[in-house]
Amino acid sequence: MISKKEIKKAPEKVTKKIEKAVRKAKRKRRMNAEYLSEMHAKKLGWNPANVSKWIPYIRITKDLYGFIDLLAIEEDGTVHAIQATSHANIKARINKILGHENYAWVKKTNWIIEVWGWKKTIKDGQPNYTLSITKL
């Protein structure tokens, strides 16, 4: 905590402390799979919407139809139903989707059902994320 005395005495010092705190907060920010997927869909020119819902009372996330985290619509109207996850959990997510009671219903809509798995690597001290896409 920065005191009022510090602010009056040395504003440059306070500014440096604030800048340092901001840099530290930026470093600590975790990139989750849903955020990365949404940003990637935007880069592709799609219109993504996060359709999973956080329920704070029971501390869980509820996905659309039990397995869709993100809906992304291409310019031509093609809809992608995306399950975002880590690279290590791709197989588990595929099994979850294929075994889900709503899978057949969603498949009838002609949406493209995909699992996007993100893998983090460190290159030159910077995090680098690679994407693996599996279509169902």
Side-chain angles (χ1 to χ4, degrees):
M1 183 88 185
I2 301 168
S3 68
K4 289 182 181 180
K5 284 183 181 179
E6 283 183 296
I7 293 171
K8 287 179 182 176
K9 286 183 180 178
E12 305 86 28
K13 196 174 188 180
V14 172
T15 304
K16 286 182 181 178
K17 280 187 177 181
I18 292 170
E19 287 172 356
K20 185 177 178 182
V22 168
R23 282 194 307 271
K24 188 176 179 183
K26 282 182 181 177
R27 275 195 309 255
K28 282 190 172 182
R29 178 168 181 191
R30 289 195 48 168
M31 304 293 255
N32 67 19
E34 285 181 20
Y35 177 78
L36 290 168
S37 298
E38 190 172 350
M39 293 300 106
H40 185 70
K42 284 181 182 178
K43 275 186 197 174
L44 294 173
W46 301 353
N47 186 4
N50 188 331
V51 291
S52 60
K53 179 172 62 172
W54 171 251
I55 304 169
Y57 302 110
I58 51 178
R59 299 178 151 237
I60 63 165
T61 303
K62 183 133 173 80
D63 297 336
L64 179 67
Y65 298 119
F67 59 87
I68 301 170
D69 292 325
L70 208 68
L71 281 178
I73 304 172
E74 290 186 50
E75 256 184 62
D76 65 359
T78 305
V79 178
H80 296 263
I82 300 166
Q83 168 74 63
T85 188
S86 65
H87 188 269
N89 284 325
I90 291 174
K91 195 165 234 159
R93 296 293 172 235
I94 291 170
N95 291 336
K96 171 189 167 184
I97 293 168
L98 294 176
H100 201 281
E101 61 191 31
N102 293 329
Y103 172 70
W105 288 96
V106 174
K107 197 69 175 162
K108 288 178 187 177
T109 64
N110 293 324
W111 289 356
I112 299 170
I113 302 171
E114 300 173 330
V115 177
W116 287 15
W118 292 92
K119 187 175 185 177
K120 179 181 176 181
T121 55
I122 304 294
K123 188 175 183 180
D124 298 328
Q126 295 294 326
N128 185 30
Y129 296 93
T130 53
L131 174 62
S132 297
I133 298 175
T134 305
K135 292 185 181 186
L136 303 178

